[in-house]
Amino acid sequence: MCGIVGILGREPVAPSLIEALKRLEYRGYDSAGLATLEQGRLTRVRASGKLRNLEEKLAASPLSGTSGIGHTRWATHGRPNETNAHPHISDKLAVVHNGIIENFRELREELAAKGHVFATETDSEVVAHLVAEQIREGAGPAAAVARALTRLKGAFALAFLFDGEADLLIGARRGAPLAAGWGEGGVYLGSDALALAPFAHTIAYLEEGDHVVLTRERVTFHDAAGHEVERRRQPLQAGSFLVDKGNFRHFMAKEIHEQPEVVGRTLSHYLDLASGTVRLPFELSFDAKKLSRVTISACGTAFYAGLIARYWIERYARLAVEIDIASEFRYREAPLPNDGLTILVSQSGETADTLAALRYAKTHGQHILSIVNVETSTIARESDTVALTLAGPEIGVASTKAFTCQLAVFACLAVALGRARGVLSEAEEKALVAELAATPGLMADALAHEARIELVARDVARASSVLYLGRGPAYPLALEGALKLKELSYIHAEGYAAGELKHGPIALIDYAMPVIVLAPPDATLEKTVSNLQEVAARGGHLILIGSRAAREAAAADLAGFVELPDIASAFAVLVYAVPVQLLAYHAAVFMGKDVDQPRNLAKSVTVE
Ligand code: M6R
């Protein structure tokens, strides 16, 4: 959730710490801080709110130390104010922390009884005091950290800087990602490769339970048992991590507009367009014919991608699909069948609940396939098979292009499973591949309706509550549309299966509440149109996203209409996702909201 970075440099490190934190701000932006050694003494600067507040403080009183640590926070324990901002300091050390220390209350009481005075409401501060206590008892910095780690419960990544130790950084990882990096300007620690990309030419990921001791000359990894170990160094391609908004006002706008390209790129990774077949870029770790069931687990938008995929996998591969959000699935103690496949979906590949769901499925003998956007992520590394989405870095906190790329991968997988199980014919495969191949172009057509969607968004922005309706795959897309509106514009929104309307929510209908109907031209269109008419008959405020044929069939007064091409495709939801995203985007922009970094959110949720 939070982002951490550490640098042992040759020049003053504060500017590089800030640059790395900018790349990590997607992980949280409640407060930020850094500590450097000024003439050997620990000095820290912290600020609540966005990173620019910290930058302003540093501009007023610059730091010149050549070793330092930095942090950008997503608050778990304690308010998002300056006092609770990291780094936390005790005696002669400073620490930055990503994650949760579950036993912090017991440790805090124990340390308070020994005279430690706590300055914050955070769980993280206890780590500083725990290490300080070991140093008081005579341990050197590395031994003190190693001993302290044995006392901590929870999931975390940590970076430590010590007073008077200008050539020492220590990092630790349990349940949250951390990488060490080597570059011309020094050695580094960072939550992810994106943070280190401007500085490091090589990185190595810490494994679960590792800690690492860095000096400018030597980087030493230790495993959970404390043994010195080697970790694989891999080159870092700086170019692939370029992060800029191009000509767009927000990252989210850029990412929405990138979709025809990145969905096309993802599809071409999985399809052989010349032969009209699906060609998976990996070997399946199981015999598809013997599969008994597919279980899907994920969080947020990635979960909605899974819900859509259920329709495709059941229909094209004739496989039963069970799906649950990861935070529930991990604790449900669900029995999992022999020869079952579990699919985890995650943009970041670091979401704590999704990772826990993966581990549960693994211990229950499932084949593990993950659909992730970050190849080096923990979820990818712990999977039997990794199906990559080639969306590129997604910086906007609201997921857009990662979502449609997840759908693209799922669609290919459903067809591939259908073929491998002998339930889809060659001709059916060809027809579905042709539909998929046409999708990026149709998404580009949908983007061309942006001006119209912006007008509709202005109307929606005036509401305090919105209902989204859809059937079939458009039902989970309605859930996703409501999530996008909530997280970006803070307007209350609900997604509903159109057929459920009359079982309760119809009581809500009045002209103050826009009802957005997703009506792709599939076998259920007629039914969706009937539901739309039920809303119209009660004086509802109707907005239709559909084809001209749907508009004509609706024959009702509409407050808004977004016309999409007449898409005869089972995968029309990929195209319908575009206006759904643009609508939430423009409503939020119109309302003056922080589109790329909505309040209270973080891009990567590495805590429960
Ligand atoms: O990195 P992941 O795909 O695992 O993240 C899952 C959710 O946290 C994420 O999709 C979240 O719901 C987004 N804010 C949605 O826009």
Side-chain angles (χ1 to χ4, degrees):
M1 278 328 265
C2 306
I4 66 178
V5 60
I7 305 180
L8 288 180
R10 304 184 211 291
E11 305 286 331
V13 291
S16 302
L17 288 171
I18 291 289
E19 188 174 346
L21 290 179
K22 278 188 183 150
R23 291 167 161 260
L24 288 170
E25 218 181 356
Y26 74 90
R27 303 177 72 91
Y29 35 81
D30 288 334
S31 65
L34 50 83
T36 57
L37 289 183
E38 302 294 306
Q39 274 91 45
R41 299 276 79 89
L42 271 178
T43 310
R44 73 176 162 175
V45 182
R46 301 176 298 164
S48 65
K50 297 275 178 72
L51 197 51
R52 60 176 170 266
N53 300 345
L54 179 67
E55 282 185 277
E56 277 167 23
K57 279 195 160 182
L58 284 167
S61 24
L63 295 175
S64 60
T66 56
S67 27
I69 53 178
H71 186 267
T72 178
R73 178 170 189 237
W74 186 81
T76 59
H77 297 61
R79 278 160 292 174
N81 55 23
E82 185 176 328
T83 308
N84 290 328
H86 300 219
H88 296 297
I89 288 190
S90 175
D91 293 354
K92 292 187 173 297
L93 70 110
V95 64
V96 286
H97 167 222
N98 165 30
I100 289 179
I101 306 299
E102 284 171 4
N103 58 338
F104 84 100
R105 280 198 189 79
E106 299 133 65
L107 291 171
R108 198 173 161 126
E109 276 170 26
E110 179 189 318
L111 290 160
K114 289 182 177 165
H116 289 261
V117 178
F118 287 81
T120 78
E121 299 160 327
T122 67
D123 56 333
S124 315
E125 191 188 0
V126 82
V127 181
H129 289 278
L130 194 60
V131 176
E133 179 60 23
Q134 299 303 320
I135 292 175
R136 277 187 202 175
E137 288 175 12
V145 170
R147 280 189 213 163
L149 289 174
T150 64
R151 301 286 321 278
L152 297 176
K153 292 197 178 129
F156 51 79
L158 299 160
F160 298 90
L161 184 68
F162 297 86
D163 198 83
E165 300 277 358
D167 194 24
L168 180 66
L169 262 186
I170 300 181
R173 177 216 152 125
R174 194 191 298 161
L178 191 65
W182 294 260
E184 299 309 325
V187 290
Y188 304 86
L189 278 176
S191 291
D192 61 23
L194 187 61
L196 300 184
F199 322 107
H201 48 63
T202 331
I203 60 167
Y205 288 93
L206 275 74
E207 299 282 336
E208 191 61 9
D210 279 0
H211 72 273
V212 60
V213 179
L214 297 93
T215 66
R216 287 177 182 79
E217 291 307 311
R218 193 168 142 73
V219 175
T220 321
F221 294 88
H222 302 264
D223 66 12
H227 300 127
E228 199 172 314
V229 284
E230 291 295 321
R231 294 296 176 221
R232 190 169 69 86
R233 282 174 68 158
Q234 42 190 302
L236 187 58
Q237 305 293 339
S240 59
F241 292 104
L242 280 180
V243 181
D244 77 74
K245 290 183 202 152
N247 293 329
F248 292 91
R249 208 170 138 197
H250 299 102
F251 281 110
M252 185 182 175
K254 174 175 172 252
E255 288 158 6
I256 290 173
H257 282 262
E258 277 173 359
Q259 291 180 110
E261 188 197 335
V262 295
V263 167
R265 191 196 306 159
T266 301
L267 286 172
S268 56
H269 197 59
Y270 290 85
L271 301 178
D272 180 348
L273 293 170
S275 61
T277 54
V278 178
R279 191 167 292 165
L280 297 181
F282 46 75
E283 291 291 318
L284 292 175
S285 62
F286 49 85
D287 179 351
K289 283 204 172 93
K290 290 197 184 139
L291 275 188
S292 54
R293 191 168 80 196
V294 173
T295 303
I296 301 176
S297 196
C299 302
T301 293
F303 171 69
Y304 296 144
L307 275 180
I308 291 173
R310 176 169 64 179
Y311 290 86
W312 298 336
I313 296 172
E314 289 183 346
R315 182 163 167 196
Y316 299 125
R318 304 304 304 148
L319 262 167
V321 177
E322 205 233 324
I323 172 159
D324 200 358
I325 43 179
S327 54
E328 289 300 317
F329 177 73
R330 64 181 292 187
Y331 293 117
R332 256 176 52 205
E333 299 183 23
L336 297 172
N338 292 335
D339 289 316
L341 167 67
T342 296
I343 304 180
L344 294 310
V345 196
S346 174
Q347 187 284 130
S348 61
E350 301 293 350
T351 300
D353 285 320
T354 310
L355 180 59
L358 179 157
R359 289 176 180 160
Y360 177 86
K362 208 172 203 177
T363 54
H364 288 75
Q366 301 295 287
H367 305 287
I368 305 291
L369 186 149
S370 62
I371 299 179
V372 292
N373 198 37
V374 182
E375 196 173 4
T376 48
S377 60
T378 312
I379 289 177
R381 282 183 281 138
E382 295 195 13
S383 300
D384 301 321
T385 309
V386 180
L388 272 183
T389 49
L390 305 184
E394 191 181 61
I395 305 299
V397 165
S399 187
T400 53
K401 61 176 181 169
F403 172 65
T404 44
C405 287
Q406 286 158 358
L407 292 179
V409 172
F410 262 130
C412 296
L413 194 63
V415 178
L417 287 174
R419 283 294 284 152
R421 289 166 58 76
V423 294
L424 265 189
S425 70
E426 207 179 310
E428 285 165 326
E429 178 185 23
K430 254 199 172 77
L432 290 169
V433 168
E435 287 178 15
L436 278 172
T439 304
L442 292 166
M443 293 175 92
D445 293 347
L447 282 167
H449 293 277
E450 183 160 10
R452 175 86 203 120
I453 297 166
E454 188 175 348
L455 284 180
V456 174
R458 287 176 182 219
D459 176 35
V460 168
R462 291 186 194 96
S464 55
S465 194
V466 172
L467 198 59
Y468 247 107
L469 300 178
R471 273 179 185 264
Y475 159 47
L477 186 61
L479 297 174
E480 168 64 1
L483 173 63
K484 282 281 136 331
L485 259 179
K486 278 184 277 215
E487 65 180 337
L488 291 166
S489 65
Y490 319 147
I491 295 174
H492 170 254
E494 296 246 21
Y496 249 93
E500 270 292 293
L501 187 69
K502 57 178 86 57
H503 299 287
I506 200 162
L508 293 170
I509 303 298
D510 64 14
Y511 203 74
M513 183 182 69
V515 178
I516 307 173
V517 182
L518 301 174
D522 57 20
T524 63
L525 177 62
E526 221 175 283
K527 314 271 177 210
T528 309
V529 167
S530 301
N531 300 134
L532 180 151
Q533 282 157 345
E534 288 157 11
V535 176
R538 286 157 183 85
H541 186 135
L542 272 167
I543 294 165
L544 173 65
I545 303 182
S547 63
R548 183 166 303 196
R551 168 76 189 90
E552 279 161 16
D557 278 345
L558 299 180
F561 173 49
V562 177
E563 185 179 333
L564 290 182
D566 204 357
I567 312 160
S569 166
F571 308 111
V573 275
L574 274 111
V575 182
Y576 276 64
V578 172
V580 160
Q581 296 162 349
L582 282 173
L583 203 142
Y585 169 77
H586 282 294
V589 171
F590 182 64
M591 294 168 80
K593 303 297 185 209
D594 189 341
V595 175
D596 282 332
Q597 295 181 330
R599 71 182 179 204
N600 303 336
L601 291 180
K603 182 76 180 157
S604 177
V605 184
T606 54
V607 294
E608 284 193 53

